[in-house]
Amino acid sequence: DTLNCQNISYWIPIVVFLVLFLLSATLHINAQQHQKRERIKAIKTAYLTEELNLSSQEAEKFWPVYNKYEKVIFSYKVQKPRKGLKRIEALEANGALDDSVAEKSLQTLFQYESEVTAAKKNMFQELQGILSSPRILKLYRAELQFNKKLLAEIRKRGSNEP
């Protein structure tokens, strides 16, 4: 009897506000993550352009090829494994992660690694029409150096937090 229309009317705006607030916060966090990724991508673009000493004509041909393969590589290195690992964590939490599921998951992860390798190989082959082999090797090294510097910066910033 204590739960009447007046009480429900009181709670509806509060619940709607909370849902909208949580949705807004989630969208804000996603936007911040997207901005960070875009900022890192811009820094990486500048770094690789400088390291490879790309002319404007080379850059015009290089970046579409590089970006095409970067999307594929990101998908197989980050997006797909992340989804798979979330599924594995859920199965593990429910006690449903058995040997056959684990084996299948491992095979999938190995397949993702093969796809990354194939994409890099295809990218390097396609870039041979744009850059010399020594400069493609320099690209490989520059990517490793950039990732190492990025990781060092992330660790440095992480250790400065309270």
Side-chain angles (χ1 to χ4, degrees):
D1 200 36
T2 59
L3 187 64
N4 58 35
C5 289
Q6 197 174 27
N7 286 342
I8 291 173
S9 297
Y10 173 79
W11 287 105
I12 287 175
I14 293 172
V15 170
V16 168
F17 171 77
L18 288 173
V19 167
L20 290 175
F21 175 77
L22 291 173
L23 180 62
S24 173
T26 301
L27 291 174
H28 179 72
I29 289 168
N30 286 340
Q32 284 180 326
Q33 289 174 341
H34 179 72
Q35 286 175 335
K36 283 182 184 179
R37 275 195 300 272
E38 288 300 314
R39 187 167 160 251
I40 290 169
K41 185 178 177 181
I43 293 168
K44 183 178 182 180
T45 299
Y47 181 82
L48 293 178
T49 299
E50 184 179 321
E51 287 296 308
L52 296 174
N53 197 22
L54 294 175
S55 70
S56 58
Q57 291 139 342
E58 288 171 329
E60 205 173 287
K61 295 175 185 174
F62 171 83
W63 287 111
V65 172
Y66 185 84
N67 290 335
K68 174 177 72 173
Y69 286 105
E70 274 296 292
K71 285 180 187 175
V72 172
I73 291 167
F74 182 76
S75 171
Y76 283 107
K77 265 187 135 172
V78 178
Q79 292 172 326
K80 291 182 181 203
R82 186 178 292 158
K83 287 179 186 176
L85 291 174
K86 284 182 182 179
R87 187 176 147 267
I88 291 167
E89 287 170 1
L91 289 170
E92 198 172 37
N94 295 329
L97 184 62
D98 60 19
D99 282 346
S100 72
V101 172
E103 177 66 29
K104 186 177 178 186
S105 296
L106 285 169
Q107 292 303 320
T108 301
L109 290 172
F110 294 144
Q111 182 59 40
Y112 292 164
E113 288 295 321
S114 295
E115 295 293 339
V116 168
T117 301
K120 285 182 179 184
K121 184 177 178 180
N122 291 337
M123 177 179 68
F124 293 148
Q125 287 175 344
E126 197 169 332
L127 286 174
Q128 284 184 328
I130 301 165
L131 301 175
S132 66
S133 293
R135 287 177 78 197
I136 293 171
L137 191 58
K138 193 172 188 177
L139 166 65
Y140 183 80
R141 189 181 71 225
E143 284 181 311
L144 292 174
Q145 289 171 338
F146 179 82
N147 290 337
K148 185 177 178 181
K149 288 178 182 185
L150 179 62
L151 187 58
E153 182 65 27
I154 290 169
R155 284 184 178 147
K156 182 176 127 185
R157 288 182 185 205
S159 66
N160 289 339
E161 292 181 8

